Amino acid sequence: MSSELLAPLDLAFWHLETPDHPMHLGALARFDPGPGESGGPGGPDGLLDLLAERAAAIPRLRMRVRDVLLPVGGAAWSVDKTFDVHRHVRHLRLPNGAASGGFTAEATRLAGELMERPLERGRPPWEMYLLTGAPGGPFAVLVKLHHALADGMRAVAIGAGIFDQIAGARPPGRRRPRPVPPRSWLPGPLHVAGAARGRIEELGRALGVGASVVRASRLDPRGTPALTAGSSGTRRLATADLDLEEVRRVRRVTGGTANDVLLAVTTGALRHWMLERGEPLPTADPRALVPVSRRRPGGAPGPGNTFSAYLLDLPLSDPDPLGRLDSVRRGMDRNKAAGPTRGAGAVAVLADQLPPLAHRFGAPLAQGAARMLFDVLVTNVPLPRSTLSLGGCPLRALHPMAPLARGQALAVAMSPYGGRVHVGLVADGKAVPDVDRLAAAIHDELAELVKATDGPG
């Protein structure tokens, strides 16, 4: 993999980034200490060396973005010939008071500060931070990957390379790249005709998707006040851990999917959070953008972003938790029946149909469009089902983190692992300084749903 053009959607994410709105996603992984006084393989220094070794062995993490002459406005991934993994993997010690009791809160606070910082664009766009507290205590790893480098599923495939179970299964040596047949600068008439026919078909698809996006967009761009924000550039993180069996118990009683239940839990938590703040509920229910992968089940993750999204009205106005869940389930059923290329959520599909030059010069316009499409991002990122560890230290939790679009104050990401659903909340620090209260409301809402489905007595 010496050079590879950025896919259109990857190029869109690359150009959408601004200093106040970095377009990286991430994850905060918490580990229990391993055996021995150091709590890991050789203490923090040994863990840092292990992280660096495993990150350096992932070919994708050696790639940086460079501009190209053709196609006009395009860019390509190319191997960074000056790659030094130690520029990307760093160790930060938390204050001495961050022992096992306060470690999670302190690590989450620091991770929020680190997520504010854009990645350096001249290097491979990723970073990892080893966060340690008291000697022999728990530790965490914060992973930051630019959205141009990976979507949620691809990020999991890349990030999983640091774990013992995946690194140990990696075959030794490097695979040789498959030879690419030479391309003529003067293609034959059949090639020209085929390319022209392909472009016409692509244009037709783009027009159809674009019309669907326009029809589903809101004329009023103000959105939900509690979920909108200016460009403060600050980030606050909060986490929640839910019992996966409780989620499944609700699903078994009410039908639908576990993701429907989690969307309803998010809806109810937003309702309680707004009411606790003393804010009136919005006159129109807020919209969630719910990403959906367009990869084939069981297929390889592939190099670029491959997803669309559904739009879902979150029924905050309904005071009944079961009523909210029923509305969410019916809304998601309608989305699935229509398919991922219909509705404003298909803007990601539309981006895949646009030429590179449109992304380069259209980014300033697109940055303000998110508010017209949705109010909050809610995504579910699947993790490997097997038990994971780093240097023999078991993974306790992995909280995913999604980027914030311009004008929006909150993104919610969830990952099931180890019998729990780990929720990561990324908020604009100025607009949502009380994101911890929203995390607590997520716990309360699941408890309400469980109580409602268990019935009286």
Side-chain angles (χ1 to χ4, degrees):
M1 183 167 42
S2 58
S3 184
E4 167 196 313
L5 286 176
L6 267 73
L9 188 53
D10 302 342
L11 196 62
F13 286 129
W14 189 249
H15 290 307
L16 282 171
E17 183 170 68
T18 67
D20 287 340
H21 288 276
M23 289 301 298
H24 53 254
L25 42 81
L28 182 64
R30 290 190 290 110
F31 297 86
D32 285 342
E37 294 182 4
S38 63
D45 291 342
L47 283 169
L48 189 68
D49 289 342
L50 183 61
L51 269 179
E53 175 188 339
R54 290 182 175 173
I58 301 172
R60 196 77 188 164
L61 297 185
R62 292 175 172 266
M63 308 294 282
R64 69 178 184 88
V65 177
R66 61 176 179 83
D67 291 336
V68 295
L69 293 176
L70 292 174
V72 177
W77 293 106
S78 63
V79 175
D80 183 2
K81 295 180 180 179
T82 63
F83 176 76
D84 181 356
V85 71
H86 296 289
R87 294 176 177 173
H88 300 265
V89 180
R90 303 178 179 91
H91 175 212
L92 296 177
R93 288 183 173 85
L94 303 182
N96 292 331
S100 57
F103 175 81
T104 298
E106 186 61 25
T108 304
R109 181 199 63 77
L110 180 56
E113 294 180 3
L114 295 171
M115 288 295 287
E116 290 178 6
R117 306 175 187 176
L119 296 164
E120 188 171 338
R121 292 170 74 88
R123 296 174 179 170
W126 65 274
E127 292 175 346
M128 290 186 191
Y129 291 89
L130 172 65
L131 309 178
T132 60
F139 64 93
V141 175
L142 173 67
V143 180
K144 293 168 57 178
L145 298 171
H146 199 286
H147 212 334
L149 184 66
D151 58 14
M153 290 184 66
R154 183 66 188 177
V156 169
I158 292 173
I162 70 171
F163 295 114
D164 300 336
Q165 292 73 16
I166 285 79
R170 187 182 295 127
R174 293 186 181 180
R175 291 180 298 174
R176 292 184 177 181
R178 288 178 295 180
V180 178
R183 291 174 122 188
S184 170
W185 285 96
L186 297 173
L190 292 178
H191 179 86
V192 171
R197 186 165 53 249
R199 290 304 298 164
I200 291 171
E201 292 173 353
E202 289 176 4
L203 179 60
R205 286 194 296 269
L207 289 174
V209 174
S212 180
V213 170
V214 170
R215 284 195 301 269
S217 299
R218 297 178 298 196
L219 297 178
D220 183 358
R222 289 175 296 179
T224 302
L227 299 176
T228 57
S231 300
S232 77
T234 59
R235 294 291 181 268
R236 286 287 303 275
L237 304 184
T239 62
D241 295 303
L242 306 177
D243 188 327
L244 181 57
E245 181 53 37
E246 289 186 346
V247 173
R248 290 170 173 166
R249 197 161 85 208
V250 173
R251 179 195 59 79
R252 285 194 292 268
V253 173
T254 61
T257 67
N259 197 47
D260 294 340
V261 177
L262 292 172
L263 287 166
V265 166
T266 303
T267 302
L270 287 170
R271 174 186 169 87
H272 292 310
W273 171 67
M274 289 183 190
L275 292 175
E276 286 178 5
R277 275 182 147 200
E279 293 190 12
L281 295 177
T283 54
D285 287 333
R287 276 181 170 183
L289 186 77
V290 184
V292 54
S293 176
R294 292 190 289 127
R295 303 186 191 278
R296 293 181 179 179
N305 284 278
T306 308
F307 73 92
S308 183
Y310 295 136
L311 279 179
L312 177 70
D313 290 333
L314 302 180
L316 264 67
S317 55
D318 191 337
D320 176 24
L322 290 179
R324 291 193 292 268
L325 175 54
D326 183 62
S327 295
V328 164
R329 185 176 61 248
R330 286 187 285 108
M332 288 300 289
D333 286 346
R334 286 192 298 269
N335 278 327
K336 293 169 187 175
T341 61
R342 291 292 178 264
V347 68
V349 181
L350 178 61
D352 246 348
Q353 306 293 327
L354 298 178
L357 204 59
H359 291 299
R360 186 176 292 270
F361 291 106
L365 296 175
Q367 286 165 358
R371 190 179 295 181
M372 297 181 64
L373 301 178
F374 63 98
D375 299 288
V376 59
L377 172 73
V378 185
T379 183
N380 194 330
V381 183
L383 293 178
R385 294 185 179 181
S386 59
T387 300
L388 300 173
S389 61
L390 176 63
C393 303
L395 175 67
R396 178 58 54 203
L398 192 148
H399 296 98
M401 300 170 193
L404 288 182
R406 176 177 288 278
Q408 295 178 334
L410 178 69
V412 182
M414 298 170 279
S415 284
Y417 172 78
R420 310 286 289 174
V421 178
H422 305 290
V423 185
L425 306 172
V426 178
D428 182 280
K430 185 175 180 180
V432 191
D434 56 345
V435 67
D436 290 336
R437 293 173 61 186
L438 178 56
I442 287 176
H443 285 283
D444 296 341
E445 178 63 14
L446 178 59
E448 278 197 29
L449 267 175
V450 170
K451 182 178 179 181
T453 52
D454 283 347

